Amino acid sequence: MASTASPPSIHTTRGVAPLRAGKGHSFLLRRLHSLSGIIPVGLFLIEHFVSNAFATKGPDAYTKQVELLTGFPFVVGLELFGIWLPILYHSLYGFYIWYRGDSNVGDYPWLGNRMYTAQRWTGAIAFFYMAWHTWHLRFSGIHLLTHPASAFGKVQLEFQSPWAVAFYVVGIVCASWHFAYGLWLFAAKWGITTGDRARRRFGYVCFAIGLLFVLVGAVTMRAFLRTPLQPLEQLNSGPKSFVMR
């Protein structure tokens, strides 16, 4: 009498942990992580790209936009609770998710695994780019909240280094990709797009959004690079005194 052999058990030591709903706090934290990537972090990214695009209209238009944004009441508190803390939570919990999962793109080079890996790496690069960008523009040199007329020239000073220009390009591409694919993941996770067909179509939309962000960033950088170097306000003199660097 022939006996039926039981199928061999399959055990893999490497692989990407499945995106399950989680339990208890894990479910809530993952939902907050997904939501924070769109609101408010995604909205801030859109606003930031739009505001910087005013550079294409010249230094005066860019200064007026900076004055508008820095003129909000309680601007520091709004930035802290509406931008920086959500970005910090989204980034740190994203690093935690990455730490808990193992990339298996080398063993299984499927599209989903490649997208998973790209999303984590672009998020990490975008995080360090934003930290570097924020430090240089907000916490070093001339204070833009009290000297918004120096904003255009201060960005131009960043572009005097080819390495800074290269880092800007990489940061813009990574932030654009991370948001665009994150938007696709958000729609799938929250049940906005149901079915392969809907997700595929929305994928094209998200790809177009990411490409649009990259193009806007490139045009904005071109405006800063092609405009003659603008003056900065002289801090130790009167408000009408300027200095070229």
Side-chain angles (χ1 to χ4, degrees), residues 48 52 62-72 75-76 79 84 133-158 168 224 230-233 235 242 245:
H48 198 60
N52 280 295
Y62 188 75
T63 297
K64 290 180 180 179
Q65 182 64 15
V66 174
E67 289 176 341
L68 173 65
L69 296 176
T70 58
F72 281 105
V75 63
V76 175
E79 287 183 335
W84 307 128
H133 176 64
T134 302
W135 170 259
H136 279 272
L137 288 184
R138 288 297 305 274
F139 301 107
S140 68
I142 193 168
H143 190 225
L144 296 184
L145 290 182
T146 53
H147 300 84
S150 298
F152 198 100
K154 192 171 184 180
V155 175
Q156 287 183 310
L157 288 179
E158 295 287 288
Y168 263 77
F224 283 112
Q230 298 298 299
L232 300 181
E233 293 186 52
L235 299 181
F242 294 87
R245 292 186 182 182

Side-chain angles (χ1 to χ4, degrees), residues 8-242:
S9 61
I10 300 177
H11 177 72
T12 58
T13 58
R14 300 177 61 195
V16 177
L19 295 176
R20 300 191 178 110
K23 298 179 181 179
H25 290 92
S26 175
F27 174 81
L28 177 61
L29 292 176
R30 281 183 176 272
R31 286 291 178 172
L32 287 176
H33 177 261
S34 175
L35 183 62
S36 65
I38 307 300
I39 304 171
V41 177
L43 294 180
F44 163 70
L45 186 67
I46 295 172
E47 179 277 321
H48 198 60
F49 269 81
V50 172
S51 294
N52 280 295
F54 276 84
T56 61
K57 302 178 67 175
D60 291 339
Y62 188 75
T63 297
K64 290 180 180 179
Q65 182 64 15
V66 174
E67 289 176 341
L68 173 65
L69 296 176
T70 58
F72 281 105
F74 314 111
V75 63
V76 175
L78 291 173
E79 287 183 335
L80 177 63
F81 294 102
I83 300 175
W84 307 128
L85 288 180
I87 288 178
L88 187 63
Y89 167 75
H90 185 80
S91 302
L92 295 181
Y93 196 74
F95 281 121
Y96 173 75
I97 294 175
W98 191 4
Y99 171 76
R100 291 293 301 273
D102 296 321
S103 175
N104 64 351
V105 69
D107 298 330
Y108 304 101
W110 299 324
L111 180 61
N113 289 331
R114 294 186 185 278
M115 300 287 271
Y116 172 90
T117 301
Q119 184 69 352
R120 300 309 168 201
W121 276 106
T122 54
I125 295 172
F127 172 76
F128 290 109
Y129 163 74
M130 287 188 294
W132 173 79
H133 176 64
T134 302
W135 170 259
H136 279 272
L137 288 184
R138 288 297 305 274
F139 301 107
S140 68
I142 193 168
H143 190 225
L144 296 184
L145 290 182
T146 53
H147 300 84
S150 298
F152 198 100
K154 192 171 184 180
V155 175
Q156 287 183 310
L157 288 179
E158 295 287 288
F159 289 165
Q160 299 308 299
S161 168
W163 291 106
V165 173
F167 197 25
Y168 263 77
V169 172
V170 173
I172 289 172
V173 171
C174 288
S176 301
W177 164 273
H178 193 78
F179 173 70
Y181 187 57
L183 189 62
W184 184 88
L185 290 174
F186 175 84
K189 183 177 295 185
W190 288 76
I192 299 174
T193 53
T194 57
D196 293 338
R197 185 176 182 182
R199 290 174 183 145
R200 187 181 304 110
R201 288 183 174 180
F202 191 59
Y204 296 134
V205 174
C206 292
F207 178 80
I209 292 174
L211 183 60
L212 177 62
F213 271 53
V214 172
L215 291 176
V216 171
V219 172
T220 301
M221 286 188 62
R222 182 175 180 269
F224 283 112
L225 290 168
R226 291 180 63 88
T227 303
L229 195 62
Q230 298 298 299
L232 300 181
E233 293 186 52
Q234 184 67 271
L235 299 181
N236 296 327
S237 302
K240 295 182 179 180
S241 178
F242 294 87

